[in-house]
Amino acid sequence: MRGQPININPVAARRAGCAGCLGIVGFVGFILWMTMFSNTCARMLGQETYPFKSDTRHLDPFAALVEVRARVGKNAHLTQIRATFVRSDGTMDLNADYKPGPHVTYTFQVPLDKAPENAPPIGAGGGPDKQYVQQVDVDCFQPGQRRSVSKISGNSRTSYSYTNEGMDFYRHTATMAKLDPDIGEPKISTQDLWKIALTKGAPKDSVAGIDFDVNGYEFRIRDTKVRFQCDPSGKLKE
């Protein structure tokens, strides 16, 4: 026995479809609104997070330095770059789903034009020959990650949440310190470092950690014997 034919009201079907689409659009809009609203509030409290113009699925940690420097401020001295999970094409996928995910940190020192308001006077630790320096760490990781912050100042506590947009800034409390020299722009690319690694037997489908500082470059692949260093000019250290 055949079943009875089912009559579908085309108007009702269209209305249901539109309602479903509106629901999806509304949900996405709500998420975007919450992200913008929470980040606006967080920025008012001093939190800094910025998006990359570069493709975060193919981010070259050395090439992206230009974008990061532009956000740090003038006269900033770069002291270190630490990148994890760099692929053999020299790029990182900050949007990768695996945990822990690709991550790159840029460390700067910023000389202050004047001492902080709470700086000690001469005779109590201060001095005309001492310079106030602020360390700035720029952590770059998966855009869209939520972060919670709790700050204590005196007898008050401030708590808020925000969404990482790509670059996440942390400006440390300024201290009296010797300003380290700016290590400048990398003289060798991440692709060039990978070319050296491949000659040393590095698996092409693996990911590497790459550091750049005043001593030069260090390349390593975890769980393998592939590890080497280059001097600041990019020459391989034997």
Side-chain angles (χ1 to χ4, degrees), residues 102-116:
H103 184 280
V104 55
T105 299
Y106 304 85
T107 301
F108 296 86
Q109 284 186 333
V110 180
L112 301 186
D113 295 332
K114 59 181 181 178

Side-chain angles (χ1 to χ4, degrees), residues 88 194 196-206 219 221 224 226 228:
S88 58
W194 254 104
I196 296 173
L198 292 174
T199 66
K200 293 180 175 293
K204 192 171 184 179
D205 59 350
S206 60
F219 184 104
I221 299 178
T224 74
V226 179
F228 62 88

Side-chain angles (χ1 to χ4, degrees), residues 13-27:
R14 285 196 298 271
R15 288 176 178 173
C18 289
C21 291
L22 288 173
I24 294 173
V25 171
F27 177 74

Side-chain angles (χ1 to χ4, degrees), residues 109-214:
Q109 284 186 333
V110 180
L112 301 186
D113 295 332
K114 59 181 181 178
E117 293 182 358
N118 61 346
I122 298 174
D129 59 336
K130 294 185 178 180
Q131 184 173 27
Y132 275 90
V133 175
Q134 183 182 49
Q135 180 175 319
V136 180
D137 295 325
V138 185
D139 292 326
C140 306
F141 53 96
Q142 186 180 51
Q145 278 196 28
R146 293 286 293 170
R147 286 291 177 96
S148 296
V149 177
S150 182
K151 296 180 179 179
I152 298 176
S153 178
N155 296 322
S156 64
R157 178 191 295 270
T158 302
S159 298
Y160 59 89
S161 296
Y162 69 98
T163 301
N164 171 49
E165 295 181 9
M167 307 180 211
D168 196 31
F169 278 61
Y170 181 71
R171 297 182 187 268
H172 296 255
T173 300
T175 59
M176 285 185 178
K178 179 182 178 182
L179 184 65
D180 292 331
D182 189 326
I183 59 176
E185 305 297 316
K187 302 298 189 298
I188 188 172
S189 69
T190 51
Q191 295 91 341
D192 291 333
L193 289 166
W194 254 104
K195 288 177 183 178
I196 296 173
L198 292 174
T199 66
K200 293 180 175 293
K204 192 171 184 179
D205 59 350
S206 60
V207 289
I210 297 177
D211 295 348
F212 171 47
D213 58 26
V214 68

Side-chain angles (χ1 to χ4, degrees), residues 54-60 87 89 91-97 142-143:
S54 307
D55 180 5
T56 52
R57 290 195 177 277
H58 298 88
L59 187 78
D60 183 325
R87 298 172 294 198
D89 66 354
T91 70
M92 312 164 63
D93 181 5
L94 294 190
N95 299 74
D97 293 329
Q142 186 180 51

